[in-house]
Amino acid sequence: GDMAGGRGGEGMAEERKRRVQRQSSMPSSFQLLRSVALLGALSGTVAQLMVSYHNNNKKFFHPTTSSSFQLVKLGNVNVTFLDKTNLLGYDGQDMAQLGKYRVETRLGMITHCNSANFNDVDGIIGFGWANQNRSAAILKTLTTKSRPHWDIVQREDFVPMPRKFAFTADESIGELQLGGYEPDSVAEPMQMFPMAGYAYGVNVTSIKFGNVELLDFTNNHKAYVGEFDSGTTCLLIPNSTVNGTFKRNPFEVLLNEQNKGGTFPLVYTIGGKTFEIAYEECVEPADTAMILGDPWFRKWIVLHDLVDLKDKKMGLALRNPSYKLGIETDSSATLSERSQYRASKGRSQELAEFNPLSKVRAHRRITTAKSALTMGLYQGQAVDKVALESQSRVTYNIKLSIGTPPQPLQVIFDTGSFMLAVFADPAPEGMKPILDAQVGSYEGSESTWGQISQELSWRIRGLNRTALIGANLIFIALIVGAVFSLMNRRRSQDKYQELHQLEEMGVESDGWTE
């Protein structure tokens, strides 16, 4: 019986040997892990290529062809927005022209972007206000003769822009009015209100839908800040009581009334004046924000007046229905023609007759992808002051020229930030930065493959989210398969150890029987 048992054990051992030998032909754990890592990296690269920035027009700023370009600092641009859009690059200094105003300024040079939010645009120009000494706000540069902390003094014939601007739009185009507002564009006197909040806001004391009040304030509150933002397609209304500010949820109140069949306009009260928004305009819920979005700019001329920084104001006036949008001011009046004029009539008369108003055409575009280009960091400062998450975004692209000679670019106009940055070629090789160089994670430290893959991600086109989902599913399947393979490998090793122990026991048993 013992001998039979011994022979049976030997048969089982031989079978296990053969099984172990078959399984030992599998790759090692290290090889499997390396394969998974490579497949994961490839899948991640493919996924990035599917959603990354591409510029089909190939209009990048070329610093090597600008005689006035200076490199400020390498690796200094690293901006991340709420939707994980990330911009990387370096800081430069050059001439920038917007309308009739041409100034020397610092700006970001974007060399890497991981998001399709900026597809087919050449940069972003934020018209938010920030008054710090080294503020990146172009509005500050346009409205002063110098930026001492940047060692920038504008040319002698530069006339600073008055610190105010207006914006308006229709269904197809928009218009940026620099230095004030066009009198012919309004159908009534401009009504002025104190600016409130952290950005371009006003105190809203009431919103009515028919006879129903949406802003049912508690005893300690009488108004709520509504922020003007041309980049939000709809009206945003708080979908909560905002920590006890309201007795009832304002958006819920509106929804209940609309479900009863009401089709009334929304009537806002600001500074004792009422402003009516048609029922047909879209309204979206927000956690806490109240945003006066695109419908306001399509009905009124919206003036942003920061002439007195201690008494900033917002202005509203109905747009004249006969006013034609998009007719730009001739920018040549700031260059050779003005120099000839000054030579013939003198500087004092030129200043007396100088019209500071400059009109810039804005191209309107709506994107359906959810984006939240807010709360990023740039040069250590918050890029945005209002966090927006709307299901759709409307963007207005305006012409901004950079360099000498000027290189025209189409950039997103944004009143919610003060960031100024354009997509650009890498910094000229060998150029010494004004500030100490700081090599970032992408600037000057990429491999050749990294540069090639990034170039592909900028250029690739025609890929959509469905393909991205497919790539991610494949990646997950690969990981699951690798985990199972590793588990099988571990079981094989355990069985091999068991077989080895049995063999040793079998030898001792045979010796004892004999």
Side-chain angles (χ1 to χ4, degrees):
D2 290 335
M3 291 296 293
R7 284 193 297 272
E10 287 176 1
M12 290 175 62
E14 289 299 325
E15 175 61 28
R16 286 177 179 170
K17 275 184 180 179
R18 287 192 293 270
R19 192 182 307 159
V20 169
Q21 286 171 353
R22 287 196 300 268
Q23 291 172 338
S24 66
S25 63
M26 296 173 58
S28 68
S29 299
F30 174 76
Q31 289 173 323
L32 282 169
L33 285 171
R34 185 176 62 179
S35 300
V36 169
L38 288 172
L39 287 170
L42 177 61
S43 181
T45 301
V46 171
Q48 183 186 15
L49 292 178
M50 291 178 180
V51 297
S52 290
Y53 169 80
H54 67 75
N55 188 332
N56 293 336
N57 298 324
K58 299 180 176 62
K59 288 184 66 178
F60 300 94
F61 174 66
H62 308 294
T64 55
T65 62
S66 172
S67 61
S68 50
F69 176 80
Q70 298 180 71
L71 175 61
V72 176
K73 191 173 186 178
L74 289 170
N76 204 40
V77 175
N78 189 345
V79 182
T80 302
F81 298 102
L82 282 181
D83 65 349
K84 307 304 181 185
T85 294
N86 183 233
L87 306 177
L88 297 168
Y90 60 95
D91 273 338
Q93 182 170 311
D94 212 332
M95 303 302 297
Q97 181 156 352
L98 181 64
K100 68 169 63 175
Y101 294 98
R102 182 170 170 82
V103 294
E104 185 175 8
T105 188
R106 290 187 179 178
L107 68 161
M109 300 288 166
I110 307 168
T111 55
H112 300 83
C113 176
N114 69 340
S115 169
N117 286 332
F118 288 91
N119 277 1
D120 297 324
V121 297
D122 308 323
I124 182 170
I125 180 169
F127 250 58
W129 177 256
N131 200 31
Q132 294 89 341
N133 289 331
R134 297 183 183 275
S135 163
I138 185 64
L139 189 56
K140 182 170 184 176
T141 306
L142 289 168
T143 56
T144 55
K145 286 286 289 182
S146 64
R147 296 296 304 269
H149 290 81
W150 287 350
D151 292 324
I152 291 178
V153 177
Q154 304 301 342
R155 65 190 187 281
E156 185 183 350
D157 66 343
F158 174 69
V159 180
M161 184 187 97
R163 199 162 43 237
K164 52 186 175 180
F165 67 94
F167 192 78
T168 190
D170 61 19
E171 296 290 347
S172 57
I173 61 172
E175 183 173 283
L176 171 62
Q177 301 175 355
L178 301 170
Y181 68 93
E182 171 60 72
D184 293 339
S185 67
V186 299
E188 62 180 0
M190 185 68 70
Q191 300 180 70
M192 304 300 295
F193 307 98
M195 198 177 289
Y198 295 103
Y200 296 126
V202 290
N203 282 317
V204 179
T205 55
S206 170
I207 304 178
K208 283 192 173 181
F209 183 74
N211 293 321
V212 177
E213 177 61 61
L214 304 187
L215 304 185
D216 189 4
F217 291 105
T218 56
N219 294 333
N220 297 330
H221 300 88
K222 295 181 180 179
Y224 198 77
V225 175
E227 306 278 2
F228 287 98
D229 179 47
S230 61
T232 302
T233 309
C234 301
L235 308 170
L236 268 61
I237 293 178
N239 192 27
S240 68
T241 60
V242 192
N243 300 320
T245 301
F246 307 108
K247 296 176 184 176
R248 300 179 295 167
N249 179 325
F251 185 80
E252 225 173 59
V253 174
L254 173 62
L255 193 61
N256 291 337
E257 291 302 314
Q258 288 183 340
N259 288 336
K260 294 177 184 177
T263 57
F264 306 103
L266 286 175
V267 181
Y268 289 70
T269 300
I270 302 169
K273 307 289 184 180
T274 58
F275 300 87
E276 185 176 295
I277 299 287
Y279 170 77
E280 291 75 18
E281 298 289 1
C282 64
V283 181
E284 291 182 351
D287 289 339
T288 60
M290 180 189 295
I291 304 299
L292 313 180
D294 193 55
W296 285 79
F297 293 88
R298 285 188 281 107
K299 187 171 182 178
W300 288 279
I301 306 291
V302 181
L303 176 66
H304 310 67
D305 187 342
L306 299 93
V307 172
D308 185 350
L309 293 176
K310 295 181 180 179
D311 187 23
K312 297 178 284 188
K313 297 180 183 297
M314 295 297 300
L316 290 168
L318 281 170
R319 189 173 74 246
N320 184 347
S322 62
Y323 178 73
K324 186 172 178 61
L325 291 174
I327 300 177
E328 296 187 324
T329 306
D330 183 8
S331 61
S332 65
T334 62
L335 304 175
S336 59
E337 292 181 10
R338 274 186 54 199
S339 300
Q340 295 171 8
Y341 180 87
R342 185 172 66 252
S344 62
K345 295 200 173 183
R347 175 70 168 170
S348 59
Q349 187 171 349
E350 180 201 15
L351 289 174
E353 297 181 9
F354 174 69
N355 179 9
L357 187 70
S358 181
K359 296 186 292 184
V360 180
R361 180 187 178 96
H363 301 274
R364 189 173 191 263
R365 187 178 70 168
I366 294 179
T367 56
T368 57
K370 184 174 182 178
S371 61
L373 299 181
T374 54
M375 299 303 291
L377 290 178
Y378 179 57
Q379 293 187 347
Q381 302 172 3
V383 170
D384 272 8
K385 302 178 180 67
V386 183
L388 307 179
E389 286 199 36
S390 177
Q391 294 299 325
S392 58
R393 296 283 293 175
V394 57
T395 59
Y396 291 95
N397 301 338
I398 63 175
K399 178 183 173 182
L400 174 72
S401 296
I402 304 294
T404 306
Q407 299 178 33
L409 303 169
Q410 287 291 321
V411 298
I412 295 175
F413 173 74
D414 177 26
T415 58
S417 78
F418 53 81
M419 180 178 179
L420 176 62
V422 296
F423 289 94
D425 292 335
E429 189 174 350
M431 180 174 283
K432 184 178 179 181
I434 296 174
L435 303 179
D436 291 337
Q438 175 182 321
V439 177
S441 58
Y442 282 81
E443 193 63 43
S445 60
E446 276 196 277
S447 65
T448 303
W449 166 247
Q451 294 170 353
I452 293 172
S453 63
Q454 185 62 45
E455 183 71 13
L456 285 172
S457 73
W458 277 30
R459 300 290 187 261
I460 198 163
R461 65 186 74 175
L463 295 168
N464 55 33
R465 291 182 181 273
T466 303
L468 174 60
I469 293 171
N472 287 333
L473 289 175
I474 293 171
F475 181 42
I476 292 170
L478 288 169
I479 292 176
V480 172
V483 169
F484 276 108
S485 297
L486 290 171
M487 290 172 63
N488 290 333
R489 176 63 179 164
R490 180 58 183 268
R491 282 196 292 268
S492 298
Q493 290 175 340
D494 291 342
K495 289 176 181 177
Y496 182 83
Q497 291 175 356
E498 181 185 352
L499 175 59
H500 183 68
Q501 290 173 357
L502 285 172
E503 285 178 338
E504 289 181 348
M505 291 176 64
V507 170
E508 291 177 0
S509 176
D510 290 342
W512 177 78
T513 302
E514 291 176 352

